[in-house]
Every structure is written in C-alpha cells, then in structure tokens.
Coordinates of all heavy atoms in Angstrom, one line a residue:
Y122 N 86.8 -4.1 -29.5 CA 86.9 -4.7 -28.1 C 88.1 -5.7 -28.0 O 88.9 -5.6 -27.0 CB 85.6 -5.4 -27.7 CG 85.6 -6.1 -26.4 CD1 85.3 -5.4 -25.2 CD2 86.0 -7.4 -26.2 CE1 85.2 -6.0 -24.0 CE2 86.0 -8.0 -25.0 CZ 85.6 -7.3 -23.9 OH 85.6 -8.0 -22.7
S123 N 88.3 -6.5 -29.0 CA 89.3 -7.6 -28.9 C 90.7 -7.1 -28.7 O 91.4 -7.5 -27.8 CB 89.1 -8.5 -30.1 OG 90.1 -9.6 -30.0
P124 N 91.1 -6.2 -29.6 CA 92.5 -5.7 -29.4 C 92.7 -4.8 -28.2 O 93.8 -4.8 -27.6 CB 92.8 -4.9 -30.7 CG 91.4 -4.5 -31.2 CD 90.5 -5.6 -30.8
L125 N 91.6 -4.0 -27.8 CA 91.8 -3.2 -26.6 C 91.9 -4.1 -25.4 O 92.8 -3.8 -24.5 CB 90.5 -2.3 -26.4 CG 90.4 -1.2 -27.4 CD1 89.1 -0.5 -27.4 CD2 91.5 -0.1 -27.1
K126 N 91.2 -5.2 -25.3 CA 91.3 -6.1 -24.2 C 92.7 -6.8 -24.3 O 93.4 -7.0 -23.3 CB 90.2 -7.2 -24.3 CG 90.3 -8.3 -23.2 CD 89.4 -9.4 -23.5 CE 89.6 -10.6 -22.6 NZ 88.8 -11.8 -23.0
R127 N 93.1 -7.3 -25.5 CA 94.3 -8.1 -25.6 C 95.5 -7.3 -25.1 O 96.4 -7.8 -24.5 CB 94.5 -8.5 -27.0 CG 95.8 -9.3 -27.3 CD 96.0 -9.6 -28.8 NE 97.2 -10.3 -29.0 CZ 97.7 -10.6 -30.2 NH1 97.0 -10.2 -31.3 NH2 98.9 -11.2 -30.3
W128 N 95.5 -6.0 -25.5 CA 96.7 -5.2 -25.2 C 96.6 -4.4 -23.9 O 97.4 -3.5 -23.6 CB 97.1 -4.3 -26.4 CG 97.5 -5.1 -27.6 CD1 96.7 -5.4 -28.7 CD2 98.7 -5.9 -27.7 NE1 97.4 -6.2 -29.5 CE2 98.6 -6.5 -29.0 CE3 99.8 -6.0 -27.0 CZ2 99.6 -7.3 -29.5 CZ3 100.9 -6.8 -27.5 CH2 100.8 -7.4 -28.7
G129 N 95.6 -4.7 -23.1 CA 95.5 -4.2 -21.7 C 95.0 -2.8 -21.5 O 95.4 -2.1 -20.6
A130 N 94.1 -2.4 -22.4 CA 93.4 -1.1 -22.1 C 92.7 -1.1 -20.8 O 92.0 -2.0 -20.5 CB 92.4 -0.7 -23.2
G131 N 93.0 -0.1 -20.0 CA 92.4 -0.1 -18.6 C 92.9 1.1 -17.8 O 93.5 2.0 -18.4
A132 N 92.6 1.1 -16.6 CA 93.0 2.2 -15.7 C 94.5 2.4 -15.7 O 95.3 1.4 -15.7 CB 92.6 1.8 -14.2
G133 N 94.9 3.6 -15.9 CA 96.3 4.0 -15.9 C 97.0 3.9 -17.3 O 98.1 4.2 -17.5
K134 N 96.2 3.5 -18.3 CA 96.7 3.4 -19.7 C 96.3 4.5 -20.5 O 95.1 4.9 -20.5 CB 96.3 2.0 -20.3 CG 96.9 0.8 -19.6 CD 98.4 0.8 -19.8 CE 99.1 -0.4 -19.2 NZ 98.8 -1.6 -19.9
Q135 N 97.2 5.0 -21.3 CA 96.9 6.1 -22.3 C 96.6 5.4 -23.6 O 97.5 4.8 -24.2 CB 98.1 7.1 -22.4 CG 98.4 7.9 -21.1 CD 97.4 9.0 -20.9 OE1 96.8 9.5 -21.9 NE2 97.2 9.4 -19.7
V136 N 95.4 5.6 -24.1 CA 94.9 4.9 -25.3 C 94.5 6.0 -26.3 O 93.7 6.9 -26.0 CB 93.7 4.0 -25.1 CG1 93.2 3.4 -26.4 CG2 94.2 2.9 -24.1
A137 N 95.0 5.9 -27.6 CA 94.6 6.8 -28.7 C 93.8 6.0 -29.7 O 94.2 4.9 -30.1 CB 95.9 7.3 -29.3
I138 N 92.7 6.5 -30.0 CA 91.9 5.9 -31.1 C 92.0 6.8 -32.3 O 91.7 8.0 -32.3 CB 90.4 5.9 -30.7 CG1 90.2 5.2 -29.4 CG2 89.6 5.2 -31.8 CD1 90.7 3.7 -29.4
I139 N 92.6 6.2 -33.4 CA 92.8 7.0 -34.6 C 91.6 6.8 -35.6 O 91.3 5.7 -36.0 CB 94.1 6.5 -35.3 CG1 95.3 6.6 -34.4 CG2 94.4 7.3 -36.6 CD1 96.6 6.0 -34.9
G140 N 90.9 7.9 -35.8 CA 89.7 7.9 -36.6 C 88.5 7.7 -35.7 O 88.5 6.8 -34.8
M141 N 87.4 8.4 -36.0 CA 86.2 8.2 -35.2 C 85.0 8.1 -36.1 O 84.0 8.9 -36.1 CB 86.0 9.4 -34.3 CG 85.3 9.0 -33.0 SD 85.0 10.3 -31.8 CE 83.8 11.2 -32.6
G142 N 85.1 7.0 -36.9 CA 83.9 6.7 -37.8 C 83.1 5.5 -37.2 O 83.0 5.5 -36.0
G143 N 82.7 4.6 -38.0 CA 81.9 3.5 -37.6 C 82.6 2.6 -36.6 O 82.0 2.1 -35.6
L144 N 83.9 2.4 -36.7 CA 84.7 1.6 -35.8 C 85.1 2.5 -34.6 O 85.0 2.1 -33.4 CB 85.9 1.0 -36.4 CG 85.7 -0.1 -37.4 CD1 87.0 -0.5 -38.1 CD2 85.1 -1.3 -36.8
G145 N 85.7 3.7 -34.9 CA 86.3 4.5 -33.9 C 85.4 5.0 -32.9 O 85.7 5.0 -31.7
H146 N 84.1 5.3 -33.2 CA 83.2 5.9 -32.2 C 82.8 4.8 -31.2 O 82.6 5.1 -30.0 CB 82.0 6.5 -32.8 CG 80.8 5.6 -33.1 ND1 80.8 4.7 -34.1 CD2 79.7 5.5 -32.4 CE1 79.7 4.0 -34.0 NE2 78.9 4.5 -33.0
V147 N 82.8 3.5 -31.6 CA 82.6 2.4 -30.7 C 83.8 2.2 -29.8 O 83.8 1.9 -28.6 CB 82.2 1.1 -31.4 CG1 82.1 0.0 -30.5 CG2 80.9 1.3 -32.2
A148 N 85.0 2.3 -30.5 CA 86.3 2.1 -29.7 C 86.4 3.1 -28.6 O 86.9 2.7 -27.5 CB 87.4 2.1 -30.7
V149 N 86.1 4.3 -28.9 CA 86.2 5.3 -27.8 C 85.3 5.0 -26.6 O 85.8 5.0 -25.5 CB 85.8 6.7 -28.4 CG1 85.7 7.7 -27.2 CG2 86.8 7.2 -29.4
Q150 N 84.1 4.5 -26.9 CA 83.2 4.2 -25.8 C 83.7 3.0 -25.0 O 83.7 3.0 -23.8 CB 81.8 3.8 -26.4 CG 81.1 5.0 -27.0 CD 79.8 4.5 -27.6 OE1 78.8 4.1 -26.8 NE2 79.6 4.5 -28.9
I151 N 84.2 2.0 -25.7 CA 84.7 0.7 -25.0 C 85.9 1.0 -24.2 O 86.0 0.6 -23.1 CB 84.9 -0.4 -26.1 CG1 83.6 -0.9 -26.6 CG2 85.7 -1.5 -25.5 CD1 83.7 -1.9 -27.7
A152 N 86.9 1.7 -24.8 CA 88.2 2.0 -24.1 C 87.9 2.8 -22.9 O 88.5 2.6 -21.8 CB 89.2 2.7 -25.0

C-alpha cells in the first residue's frame, strides 16, 4: 500500500505488479 500510494497509483495510471505471491496478490487488490 505505502509505495502504491506514494507514487500515485490511481485512476488513469498503468501499474504493473511483478510477482503474485504473498505480497503481489495483495498489491493487485490494493492497486
């Protein structure tokens, strides 16, 4: 959550999550 928020993940932004394990599967949901 912290880096996604810091770097402005939101509407209109293209975000790639590299890896979908314990961290990545949460990152996909949050982004």
